[in-house]
C-alpha cells in the first residue's frame, strides 16, 4: 500500500512539472509574438503602404544616382613677384644707386558669380542628374564654396591691394526643390507609384541634405550626405629672369616669380550617407 502511495505521489509531481514546462513554452511563444508585432508596428501603422514605398524608393534612387559624384574646381592662383635693381654711379649715396626690392602679390579666384566663368567640372553619374536639375545647383554652390578653402595667408598678402578678393565669412546654403518618379527595373518611371516631392539643401561644408516627401509628413525621409573634400595646394617652382649683363659681367636688375595653386575636389560616396525618418539638422 505504501509503495502505491509513493508511486502515486511521484506521478503527480511529474505531471506538475510537465504542466509548468508547457506553460513556460506558451508564455515564451506569446512574448515572441508580442515583440515581433511591436517591432513591425511602425511599418504596418502606415495607412498607405504605396506612398511609403514610393518615398523610400525615391530616397534610395537618389543615393544610387549621386554615388561617386565628384566636383573639381578650377585652379585658384597665387602669384608672387619680387623685382630688384641696383645701380652704381658717381654718387653712391644717390637714390638711383641704392638696392631696391619690390614684392608684389596677386590672388585670382575664378568668379563663381559670373555664370560659366568659374565653373568647375563634375564627373560621375551626371547624365541622370541633369534631368532632375540638381547638377547645376550642386556645381554652382561648390564654385562659391571654393573661396572658403583659400589659405588665410593668401588673403592677408593681398589685403591692401585694390580689387583683390576678400575672404567671405560664410556662404549661404542653397535650397532647390524638384520632383522625381520611382523607376521600375528597366530604369523607366513607374506610374504606379506616382511622383515624389524632393528638396536639396547644400551647406557651407559641401554636405548634402536631401528630403523626400510623398505629400504627408509621416512619409518624409531624409538623406544626409557628408562629402570628402580635398583642398589640394601646390607650390610652384621659382623662376628667375635677369636683365642684360653689364660690361663687367654683373647683373643690376632681375625678377623672381612663383605661382602657387589651389584646386578643390569634393566627392560624395554612399558609405558616407545617413538615411533617417523625420527632420535631420546639418551641422555647419
Amino acid at each position: 500500500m505504501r509503495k502505491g502511495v509513493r508511486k502515486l505521489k511521484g506521478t503527480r509531481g511529474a505531471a506538475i512539472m510537465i504542466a509548468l514546462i508547457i506553460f513556460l513554452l506558451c508564455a515564451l511563444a506569446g512574448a515572441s509574438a508580442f515583440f515581433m508585432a511591436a517591432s513591425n508596428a511602425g511599418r504596418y501603422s502606415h495607412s498607405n503602404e504605396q506612398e511609403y514605398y514610393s518615398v523610400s524608393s525615391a530616397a534610395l534612387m537618389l543615393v544610387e544616382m549621386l554615388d561617386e559624384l565628384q566636383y573639381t574646381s578650377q585652379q585658384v592662383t597665387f602669384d608672387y613677384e619680387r623685382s630688384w635693381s641696383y645701380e652704381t654711379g658717381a654718387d653712391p649715396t644717390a637714390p638711383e644707386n641704392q638696392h631696391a626690392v619690390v614684392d608684389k602679390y596677386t590672388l585670382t579666384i575664378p568668379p563663381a558669380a559670373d555664370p560659366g566663368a568659374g565653373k568647375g567640372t563634375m564627373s560621375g553619374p551626371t547624365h541622370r542628374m541633369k534631368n532632375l536639375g540638381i547638377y547645376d545647383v550642386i556645381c554652382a554652390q561648390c564654385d562659391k564654396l571654393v573661396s572658403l578653402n583659400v589659405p588665410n595667408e593668401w588673403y592677408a598678402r593681398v589685403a591692401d591691394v585694390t580689387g583683390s578678393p576678400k575672404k567671405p565669412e560664410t556662404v549661404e546654403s542653397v535650397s532647390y526643390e524638384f520632383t522625381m518618379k520611382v523607376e521600375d527595373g528597366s530604369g523607366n518611371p513607374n506610374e504606379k507609384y506616382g511622383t515624389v516631392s524632393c528638396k536639396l539643401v547644400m551647406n557651407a561644408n559641401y554636405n548634402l541634405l536631401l528630403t523626400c516627401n510623398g505629400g504627408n509628413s509621416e512619409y518624409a525621409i531624409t538623406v544626409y550626405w557628408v562629402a570628402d573634400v580635398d583642398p589640394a595646394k601646390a607650390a610652384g617652382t621659382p623662376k628667375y629672369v635677369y636683365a642684360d649683363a653689364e660690361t663687367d659681367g654683373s647683373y643690376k636688375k632681375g625678377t623672381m616669380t612663383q605661382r602657387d595653386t589651389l584646386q578643390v575636389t569634393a566627392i560624395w560616396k554612399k558609405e558616407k550617407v545617413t538615411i533617417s525618418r523625420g527632420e535631420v539638422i546639418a551641422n555647419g
Side-chain angles (χ1 to χ4, degrees):
M1 183 66 180
R2 290 181 179 178
K3 291 182 179 180
V5 172
R6 290 176 181 174
K7 184 175 181 181
L8 181 59
K9 289 182 178 179
T11 303
R12 288 179 178 176
I16 292 173
M17 290 297 296
I18 293 173
L20 288 173
I21 292 173
I22 293 174
F23 176 79
L24 290 174
L25 290 175
C26 292
L28 289 173
S32 298
F34 174 79
F35 286 118
M36 290 178 63
S39 63
N40 290 324
R43 176 181 175 185
Y44 293 105
S45 64
H46 298 303
S47 58
N48 190 334
E49 289 294 329
Q50 177 175 308
E51 185 176 348
Y52 177 72
Y53 174 80
S54 299
V55 175
S56 303
S57 299
L60 294 177
M61 281 177 56
L62 284 172
V63 171
E64 292 299 324
M65 290 171 65
L66 296 175
D67 183 33
E68 299 291 339
L69 176 68
Q70 179 173 314
Y71 164 82
T72 303
S73 74
Q74 288 192 4
Q75 282 192 343
V76 176
T77 59
F78 179 69
D79 294 309
Y80 168 50
E81 178 182 303
R82 165 166 285 195
S83 58
W84 62 87
S85 63
Y86 187 77
E87 299 289 345
T88 59
D91 184 2
T93 62
E96 65 270 15
N97 295 331
Q98 304 302 307
H99 190 190
V101 177
V102 178
D103 291 331
K104 180 181 178 182
Y105 301 91
T106 304
L107 174 60
T108 304
I109 302 176
D114 187 5
K119 195 170 185 178
T121 58
M122 305 288 280
S123 60
T126 57
H127 61 288
R128 300 177 72 183
M129 288 191 301
K130 288 183 178 179
N131 296 330
L132 298 177
I134 59 179
Y135 174 93
D136 291 332
V137 174
I138 295 177
C139 189
Q141 180 70 355
C142 287
D143 287 339
K144 295 178 182 178
L145 296 177
V146 171
S147 58
L148 296 177
N149 299 113
V150 176
N152 291 330
E153 59 268 25
W154 290 7
Y155 283 113
R157 290 290 186 181
V158 299
D160 298 328
V161 179
T162 302
S164 294
K166 309 298 180 184
K167 184 172 184 178
E169 294 183 0
T170 186
V171 173
E172 293 185 1
S173 299
V174 65
S175 178
Y176 175 72
E177 296 182 1
F178 59 99
T179 59
M180 63 182 300
K181 292 185 178 181
V182 179
E183 297 179 356
D184 56 23
S186 64
N188 297 316
N190 193 332
E191 299 296 336
K192 175 183 177 181
Y193 297 109
T195 301
V196 177
S197 299
C198 303
K199 183 178 181 180
L200 165 69
V201 176
M202 187 173 178
N203 63 17
N205 287 338
Y206 297 86
N207 299 332
L208 305 178
L209 177 62
L210 295 155
T211 304
C212 299
N213 195 305
N216 188 322
S217 59
E218 177 186 358
Y219 301 102
I221 293 181
T222 55
V223 178
Y224 184 55
W225 207 322
V226 177
D228 290 325
V229 183
D230 180 21
K233 179 183 173 183
T237 302
K239 298 179 180 179
Y240 294 88
V241 176
Y242 297 96
D244 295 336
E246 302 294 325
T247 56
D248 60 359
S250 64
Y251 291 90
K252 306 300 182 182
K253 296 180 181 180
T255 60
M256 186 278 292
T257 58
Q258 179 177 335
R259 167 168 287 189
D260 295 344
T261 60
L262 172 75
Q263 192 165 41
V264 180
T265 301
I267 186 170
W268 294 268
K269 299 181 180 180
K270 62 182 178 182
E271 55 262 30
K272 293 293 186 73
V273 165
T274 300
I275 301 178
S276 60
R277 295 273 305 278
E279 187 70 17
V280 172
I281 300 176
N283 296 323

